[in-house]
Amino acid sequence: MRIMTTVDEVLRYLNELDYPAARDEIVQEAEREGAPIEVLKALRGMPPVEYRNKDEVVRSAKTDIAQETPAEKAAKARDKKHQLVAEYLRNTT
């Protein structure tokens, strides 16, 4: 069983962050706020782009709502037109 973090846990450590913010700034803020390793892993897994608000961070961070099957993951990995979108958010249609 994989341990994943939740959206609420991710957001708990980003209350003081000013947006827009790059992924590295988001991770640093979470580290400063004492985020556990699961939260940091979820944030480090995001694409290295600038995020305009918490909603974009939540959509991109790998959290408990982002589970997928191996077949979905393979289809998304083949989709080259969305390489800057978090792996689990790529639309395969």
Side-chain angles (χ1 to χ4, degrees):
M1 183 170 124
R2 266 185 8 188
I3 297 175
M4 294 191 91
T5 190
T6 66
V7 170
D8 290 337
E9 289 170 335
V10 169
L11 292 177
R12 180 178 306 142
Y13 299 99
L14 301 178
N15 287 327
E16 302 299 318
L17 186 64
D18 291 326
Y19 293 92
R23 180 196 61 191
D24 292 340
E25 293 172 292
I26 295 168
V27 171
Q28 289 173 355
E29 176 64 21
E31 287 175 333
R32 273 192 296 273
E33 293 294 320
I37 191 71
E38 294 83 16
V39 170
L40 297 175
K41 284 182 181 179
L43 295 173
R44 287 183 182 125
M46 299 186 314
V49 297
E50 190 168 87
Y51 295 88
R52 293 179 290 188
N53 53 48
K54 286 183 182 182
D55 291 335
E56 288 185 356
V57 171
V58 167
R59 285 194 306 267
S60 192
K62 185 105 177 168
T63 62
D64 60 345
I65 61 170
Q67 305 258 340
E68 65 186 3
T69 67
E72 290 171 326
K73 185 173 182 177
K76 290 174 184 177
R78 291 189 300 269
D79 185 6
K80 301 297 181 200
K81 65 182 176 183
H82 298 293
Q83 292 299 308
L84 291 179
V85 177
E87 180 181 331
Y88 66 95
L89 291 177
R90 294 182 196 143
N91 186 356
T92 59
T93 57

